[in-house]
Amino acid sequence: MTAQIITIERHILEQQRRFPAATGEFTNLLYDIALAAKIISREVSKAGLAEILGLTGEENVQGEQVMKLDVFANEMFIRMNDHTGRLCAMASEESADIIPIPDRFPCGRYALVFDPLDGSSNVDVNVSIGTIFSIHRKVSTGPRGALEDFLQPGYEQAAAGYIVYGSSTMLVYTAGQGAHGFTLDPSVGEFLLSHPNIQTPPRGRYYSINEGNTHYWSEGIRRYVDYLKTPDEATGRPYSGRYIGSLVADFHRNLLAGGIFMYPADRQDPNKPYGKLRLLYEAAPLAFIVEQAGGRASDGRQDIRRIRPESLHQRLPLFIGSREDVNEVEQFIREFD
Ligand code: AFP
C-alpha cells in the first residue's frame, strides 16, 4: 500500500514542468485524448449488450439509432478536439482526407492523427481492440492546417500513444521522455500510472503473425518464421506464437512480455502489395512508443520513423517489437529477398 497514486493528468503536468517555455496547450491536448478514451472505453464495455439494447447500426428498443462503435469512436475524437483551439487539423483512419477545423473555431499549433477503433472486427467476439493516436506540430504556413502537417516522418512526432480496451482499459503514451502506461479505474474514472517507463525485453519469446498468409510470404519471411520455430537454447527458441488479429492488443502484449509482431508485404494480393497496415495511423505511432521502450520498428529495410509519408493512407510492411528480433528479421530479408 506504499505505491504512489499518480493520475495521468498529474503525470502529464509534471512532464510539462520540465519545459519552462511550455504553454500548456500540448498538455491539454493529451487530457482531451484521455477523456475521449474514457468515453470510448465506456461504450466498448457495453458492446456485448448491443443485441439486448439494440444492434449497433440499427434501432434500439426505444427506437433510437445505435451508432456502430467505430463510427462512435471517430465522432468522439472529432467532437472532443475540433473546437479547443489546440489543433490545426485532424486525420482519421476512417476519413479519406484531412478533417479541417471548422472556420468558426480558432486554429492551433498541433495536428492530430488517429485510428479511432483498430481491430473493430473483433468487437462482436469480445476480443480486445484499441485506439492509436499521434501528434505532430503544425509546419504549414497557411492560416489553417494542411496535408503537409501530416506528411511528416515519424521522428517528428511530438507525442504518440494507444489505448487498449482489454480486461482493463490501458492508455500508453510517450512525449519523448519514456513510454508510460496508465490503467483506467472505472469506478473513479481516472487513468492511474501503472507502468512507468516501460522497457521491452531486448529479445522476446513470442512472435505474432497471421500464419494463414504463409503462402504469400517472401522467402526471407518464410525462413525467418521457420527459424523462430527451430529449437535453440541460446536464443530461447522455439518462440511461442500469439496472434489476436488486433494490432494494439498484439503489440501491447509483446511490448510488455517481449516479442515481435509482423505484418509483412503480401506479394500475391495486388491490392495490398505493400502490406496491410498504415504508416501514419498504425506504424509510426507504435514505432515511437516501442523505441522509447528500447525496442525497434522497421518495414524490413529501414526504421519506420525515418519514412516520410507520401499520402495519408500509405500502407507498408511492419516488423515491430524487441530490438534483437527486429534486427534478425531484417537480416533474413536482406539475405533472402
Ligand atoms: P480490422 O479493424 O478490420 O479488424 O483490422 C485489424 C487490423 O488492421 C489490425 O488491427 C490487425 O493487426 C490486422 O488488421 C489483422 O489483419 P489480418 O486479419 O489480415 O491478420
CSV table of all heavy atoms in Angstrom, one decimal, residues 117-122 210 213 243 245-248 250 261 263 272 276-277 282, ligand 1:
chain,number,residue,atom,x,y,z
A,117,LEU,N,-10.8,3.1,-33.8
A,117,LEU,CA,-11.0,1.8,-33.2
A,117,LEU,C,-10.4,0.7,-34.1
A,117,LEU,O,-11.1,0.3,-35.0
A,117,LEU,CB,-12.6,1.6,-33.0
A,117,LEU,CG,-13.0,0.8,-31.8
A,117,LEU,CD1,-12.5,1.4,-30.5
A,117,LEU,CD2,-14.5,0.6,-31.8
A,118,ASP,N,-9.2,0.4,-33.8
A,118,ASP,CA,-8.5,-0.5,-34.6
A,118,ASP,C,-8.8,-2.0,-34.2
A,118,ASP,O,-8.9,-2.2,-33.0
A,118,ASP,CB,-7.0,-0.3,-34.4
A,118,ASP,CG,-6.2,-1.1,-35.4
A,118,ASP,OD1,-6.1,-0.8,-36.6
A,118,ASP,OD2,-5.6,-2.2,-35.0
A,119,GLY,N,-9.0,-2.8,-35.2
A,119,GLY,CA,-9.4,-4.2,-34.8
A,119,GLY,C,-10.9,-4.3,-34.6
A,119,GLY,O,-11.3,-5.3,-33.9
A,120,SER,N,-11.7,-3.4,-35.1
A,120,SER,CA,-13.1,-3.4,-34.7
A,120,SER,C,-13.9,-4.6,-35.2
A,120,SER,O,-14.9,-4.9,-34.6
A,120,SER,CB,-13.7,-2.1,-35.3
A,120,SER,OG,-13.5,-1.9,-36.6
A,121,SER,N,-13.3,-5.4,-36.1
A,121,SER,CA,-14.0,-6.6,-36.4
A,121,SER,C,-14.0,-7.6,-35.3
A,121,SER,O,-14.7,-8.6,-35.3
A,121,SER,CB,-13.4,-7.3,-37.7
A,121,SER,OG,-12.0,-7.6,-37.5
A,122,ASN,N,-13.2,-7.3,-34.2
A,122,ASN,CA,-13.1,-8.2,-33.1
A,122,ASN,C,-14.2,-7.8,-32.0
A,122,ASN,O,-14.3,-8.6,-31.0
A,122,ASN,CB,-11.7,-8.1,-32.4
A,122,ASN,CG,-10.7,-8.9,-33.2
A,122,ASN,OD1,-11.0,-10.0,-33.6
A,122,ASN,ND2,-9.5,-8.3,-33.3
A,210,ASN,N,0.1,-13.4,-38.9
A,210,ASN,CA,-1.0,-14.2,-39.4
A,210,ASN,C,-0.5,-15.3,-40.3
A,210,ASN,O,-0.1,-15.1,-41.5
A,210,ASN,CB,-2.0,-13.3,-40.2
A,210,ASN,CG,-3.2,-14.0,-40.7
A,210,ASN,OD1,-3.2,-15.3,-40.7
A,210,ASN,ND2,-4.2,-13.3,-41.1
A,213,ASN,N,-1.4,-16.6,-43.9
A,213,ASN,CA,-0.8,-15.9,-45.1
A,213,ASN,C,0.5,-16.5,-45.6
A,213,ASN,O,1.1,-16.0,-46.5
A,213,ASN,CB,-0.6,-14.4,-44.9
A,213,ASN,CG,-2.0,-13.7,-44.8
A,213,ASN,OD1,-3.0,-14.2,-45.3
A,213,ASN,ND2,-1.9,-12.6,-44.1
A,243,TYR,N,-1.3,-14.6,-31.8
A,243,TYR,CA,-1.8,-13.7,-32.7
A,243,TYR,C,-3.3,-13.5,-32.5
A,243,TYR,O,-4.1,-14.4,-32.6
A,243,TYR,CB,-1.6,-14.2,-34.2
A,243,TYR,CG,-1.9,-13.2,-35.2
A,243,TYR,CD1,-1.1,-12.1,-35.4
A,243,TYR,CD2,-3.1,-13.2,-36.0
A,243,TYR,CE1,-1.3,-11.1,-36.4
A,243,TYR,CE2,-3.4,-12.3,-37.0
A,243,TYR,CZ,-2.5,-11.2,-37.2
A,243,TYR,OH,-2.7,-10.3,-38.1
A,245,GLY,N,-5.0,-10.7,-33.9
A,245,GLY,CA,-5.6,-10.0,-35.1
A,245,GLY,C,-6.1,-8.7,-34.8
A,245,GLY,O,-7.0,-8.1,-35.5
A,246,SER,N,-5.6,-8.1,-33.7
A,246,SER,CA,-6.0,-6.8,-33.3
A,246,SER,C,-4.7,-6.1,-32.9
A,246,SER,O,-4.0,-6.4,-31.9
A,246,SER,CB,-6.9,-6.9,-32.0
A,246,SER,OG,-7.4,-5.7,-31.6
A,247,LEU,N,-4.2,-5.2,-33.8
A,247,LEU,CA,-2.8,-4.7,-33.7
A,247,LEU,C,-2.5,-4.2,-32.3
A,247,LEU,O,-1.4,-4.6,-31.8
A,247,LEU,CB,-2.6,-3.6,-34.7
A,247,LEU,CG,-1.2,-3.0,-34.7
A,247,LEU,CD1,-0.1,-4.0,-35.0
A,247,LEU,CD2,-1.2,-1.8,-35.7
A,248,VAL,N,-3.3,-3.4,-31.7
A,248,VAL,CA,-3.0,-2.8,-30.4
A,248,VAL,C,-2.8,-3.9,-29.4
A,248,VAL,O,-1.8,-3.8,-28.6
A,248,VAL,CB,-4.1,-1.8,-30.0
A,248,VAL,CG1,-3.8,-1.2,-28.6
A,248,VAL,CG2,-4.1,-0.6,-31.0
A,250,ASP,N,-2.1,-7.1,-29.9
A,250,ASP,CA,-0.9,-7.9,-30.2
A,250,ASP,C,0.4,-7.1,-29.8
A,250,ASP,O,1.4,-7.7,-29.2
A,250,ASP,CB,-0.8,-8.3,-31.7
A,250,ASP,CG,-1.7,-9.5,-32.0
A,250,ASP,OD1,-1.6,-10.5,-31.3
A,250,ASP,OD2,-2.5,-9.4,-32.9
A,261,PHE,N,6.0,-8.5,-33.5
A,261,PHE,CA,4.8,-8.5,-34.3
A,261,PHE,C,5.2,-8.2,-35.8
A,261,PHE,O,6.0,-7.3,-36.0
A,261,PHE,CB,3.8,-7.4,-33.8
A,261,PHE,CG,2.6,-7.3,-34.7
A,261,PHE,CD1,1.4,-8.0,-34.5
A,261,PHE,CD2,2.6,-6.5,-35.9
A,261,PHE,CE1,0.3,-7.9,-35.3
A,261,PHE,CE2,1.6,-6.4,-36.7
A,261,PHE,CZ,0.4,-7.1,-36.5
A,263,TYR,N,3.6,-7.8,-39.8
A,263,TYR,CA,2.6,-7.9,-40.9
A,263,TYR,C,3.4,-7.6,-42.2
A,263,TYR,O,3.6,-6.5,-42.6
A,263,TYR,CB,1.4,-7.0,-40.7
A,263,TYR,CG,0.2,-7.5,-41.4
A,263,TYR,CD1,-0.9,-8.0,-40.7
A,263,TYR,CD2,0.2,-7.7,-42.8
A,263,TYR,CE1,-1.9,-8.6,-41.3
A,263,TYR,CE2,-0.9,-8.3,-43.4
A,263,TYR,CZ,-1.9,-8.8,-42.7
A,263,TYR,OH,-3.0,-9.4,-43.3
A,272,LYS,N,-2.8,-5.1,-51.9
A,272,LYS,CA,-2.0,-4.7,-50.7
A,272,LYS,C,-0.6,-5.2,-50.9
A,272,LYS,O,-0.1,-5.9,-50.0
A,272,LYS,CB,-2.6,-5.1,-49.4
A,272,LYS,CG,-3.1,-6.6,-49.4
A,272,LYS,CD,-3.6,-6.9,-48.0
A,272,LYS,CE,-4.0,-8.4,-48.0
A,272,LYS,NZ,-4.4,-8.9,-46.7
A,276,LYS,N,-0.5,-4.5,-45.1
A,276,LYS,CA,-1.9,-4.1,-44.8
A,276,LYS,C,-1.9,-2.9,-43.9
A,276,LYS,O,-2.8,-2.1,-44.0
A,276,LYS,CB,-2.6,-5.3,-44.1
A,276,LYS,CG,-4.0,-4.9,-43.7
A,276,LYS,CD,-4.7,-6.0,-42.9
A,276,LYS,CE,-6.1,-5.7,-42.6
A,276,LYS,NZ,-6.8,-6.7,-41.8
A,277,LEU,N,-0.9,-2.7,-43.1
A,277,LEU,CA,-1.0,-1.7,-42.0
A,277,LEU,C,-0.6,-0.3,-42.6
A,277,LEU,O,0.1,-0.2,-43.5
A,277,LEU,CB,-0.3,-2.1,-40.8
A,277,LEU,CG,-0.8,-3.5,-40.2
A,277,LEU,CD1,0.1,-3.9,-39.1
A,277,LEU,CD2,-2.2,-3.4,-39.9
A,282,GLU,N,-1.0,3.7,-37.8
A,282,GLU,CA,-0.6,2.5,-37.0
A,282,GLU,C,0.9,2.4,-36.8
A,282,GLU,O,1.4,2.4,-35.6
A,282,GLU,CB,-1.1,1.2,-37.7
A,282,GLU,CG,-2.7,1.2,-37.7
A,282,GLU,CD,-3.3,0.2,-38.7
A,282,GLU,OE1,-2.8,0.1,-39.8
A,282,GLU,OE2,-4.3,-0.4,-38.3
B,1,AFP,P1,-9.9,-4.7,-38.6
B,1,AFP,O1,-10.0,-3.3,-38.0
B,1,AFP,O2,-10.6,-4.9,-39.9
B,1,AFP,O3,-10.3,-5.8,-37.6
B,1,AFP,O4,-8.4,-4.9,-38.9
B,1,AFP,C1,-7.4,-5.0,-37.9
B,1,AFP,C2,-6.1,-4.8,-38.4
B,1,AFP,O5,-6.0,-3.6,-39.1
B,1,AFP,C3,-5.0,-4.8,-37.3
B,1,AFP,O6,-5.5,-4.4,-36.0
B,1,AFP,C4,-4.6,-6.2,-37.2
B,1,AFP,O7,-3.3,-6.4,-36.8
B,1,AFP,C5,-4.7,-6.7,-38.7
B,1,AFP,O8,-5.7,-5.8,-39.3
B,1,AFP,C6,-5.1,-8.1,-38.8
B,1,AFP,O9,-5.1,-8.5,-40.1
B,1,AFP,P2,-5.4,-10.0,-40.6
B,1,AFP,O10,-6.8,-10.3,-40.2
B,1,AFP,O11,-5.2,-9.9,-42.1
B,1,AFP,O12,-4.4,-10.8,-39.9
